[in-house]
Each structure stands twice: as structure tokens, then as C-alpha cells.
Amino acid sequence: MVFSYCEIQNVGVCRAFPAQVEKYKTDGYLVIEGFFSHDEVEQMKHEMHNIVANMNLEDHPKVIFTTGEDQSKFRGDYFITSGDKIRYFFEEGAFNDKGELIKDKQKAINKVGHALHALNPVFKKFTFSKRIEAITKSIGFKCPVVPQSMYIFKQPGIGGEVTPHRDSTFLYTEPPSAMGLWIPLEDCTLENGCLHFVPKSHNDGITYRMVRNPEQGTPTIFTGSKEEFDDKDFIPQLTKKGCLVLIHGTVLHRSFPNKSEKSRHAYTFHIVEQENTEYSKQNWLQPTPELPFPVLYTE
């Protein structure tokens, strides 16, 4: 079931119906159709095209991003210090055996992150809009902050798999409070790597976390019990460009590789609650003097 933005408009400034809030709390995710207009979607896509076009490869290491078994080895200093910067991460299939880029950089990028919401005026405008504020208040957040944002490309033919995960594994608070706000900028289908969810799995809690490594070696490690999952439990969620997907921080979700000829661009950011929660000092992403986590709103 999805809900339309026009329905939400009828309840004031984009506040969600109680039934919508209940569905989010029951299933762990919610799709709101038509949240952003075609023009707004094109603004975000155009801005990212310019960001990548102006990127000088000589100023940035060609860092691969993956969520596979060996992901930790790809998450070095360039990754772990990206929370207050705009940085570039490539697809594995973008390079040859010599480490040379074999695709145009616009078709080779996996994602750009993690401070678009704070450092780029276009993405900042949409992240901190009154519509986002009202929806987030409807879910029950009192004083949320925005730790990170990403533009995800899911490139045609080489767009990598995002393995089953829970966002609070990476952005842990006690108690867990993270929520992802995911905005598809192109239609998401089975062929180009739409999201898949396990409904109600947010009730399972968090037993597995990615934390900063206190020892020498890779900057991050995983701790806790790596959970098992059954592929048949995942339900695909086809979404149209411009909708808004709310993702509970502990709901299990994934996306498969993009083997199609169509990309699957999306802008996403995460919020965590400050009121009556504690953001873990073990998380890979930490606020910095240059960029404390910006407050989405205060009631």
C-alpha cells in the first residue's frame, strides 16, 4: 500500500494520516507517492550531474564502494573522514585490472556522500524543507539531526548489490532511533534494482553493528551476531520517481544489482533522534567541529 502526497496535503502541511503512521510503525517502512514534483526531481539530478562533471579525478582517490563481504577493506580514511565533506565512491565494475577507469565518470560513480545536505544548497533545500519537517514530526520525532546524506546512482549494468542490512547497524543510537528518507529520482523496477523489505523485521532489534576499529588495521569492523535471512521474506517495493520512502532504522532491506540498461538514481539522507537517546561514539560517522550534525527542527 502506498499513500499519495495530495492526500497528505489535505491534512495540513504534509502531516501524515494516523493510518499512514500506523503502517510505518507496523511494517517498518512507508511509501508516499508524488512527494516531490518532476521539476524538483530534475533539479536534484541536474545538480548532481554538475557536481560529478566538476570533480577532478586527480584530487580524489578512485575509491570503490561495496556492501559485500569484504566491504571493510574499501572503507579507509577517505570514507571514514567523509562525514563533513562531499566525496566520490566508484562502482567495482568501473575499473580494469590495472585500476584504470574504463567508463565515463558520470557512469562510473556508485555514490556521492556524505554531507550533501549541509554543503550543497540544492540538496540542503530539499532536506530541510517544511514538507520533510512535517512528515518527520508526524512519525513522532522531537529533535532530529541529520548525520549523513548520499546520492546513489545504481549505474546501468554495473550498479552493485546492496546486501541485506539495517541502517541502525551503521548509525546506532540507544535506544535505536534512525530513520532513512529515500527519494527515487528515477522509476525503480525489478530490473534496475528496486528496494526490497522484510515487513515487520524492525521489531527484531539490532544485534550487528559496524563500529570504529579500536585497534590497528581497517578503520571499521563489525561486531555482534551476523544474522541469517531468507530471500523469500523480502518483498520488492516498486517506486516512482519523486516519491518519498520512509525506512525504519531497524527494518531489514536490500537491493539487487542493476543488470538493466536503465540507471536508478536516488537521493537519501538519515535522521536520528536527540531527545532521550544517545548517539554511539563507536559509530563510524561522528560529528566534527567543522560540521556538527545539523538539527532538522526543534519543537
Side-chain angles (χ1 to χ4, degrees), residues 120-165:
N120 179 275
V122 172
F123 292 102
K124 184 176 183 177
K125 174 180 68 173
F126 291 119
T127 303
F128 294 90
S129 71
K130 289 296 183 183
R131 280 173 287 171
I132 293 293
E133 176 182 335
I135 285 294
T136 307
K137 284 181 176 177
S138 298
I139 298 299
F141 284 83
K142 303 298 183 183
C143 187
V145 293
V146 185
Q148 70 166 14
S149 55
M150 299 175 284
Y151 190 104
I152 303 169
F153 294 82
K154 205 77 166 180
Q155 301 287 5
I158 62 169
E161 176 185 12
V162 177
T163 55
H165 68 284

Side-chain angles (χ1 to χ4, degrees), residues 84-85 286-293:
D84 57 4
K85 302 174 183 69
Q286 296 293 324
T288 66
E290 293 77 19
L291 183 60
F293 293 158

Side-chain angles (χ1 to χ4, degrees), residues 163-164 198 226-234 252 254:
T163 55
V198 178
K226 188 174 182 181
E227 60 187 310
E228 300 294 326
F229 60 87
D230 193 328
D231 286 341
K232 68 177 176 57
D233 294 335
F234 286 87
L252 193 61
R254 72 189 302 180

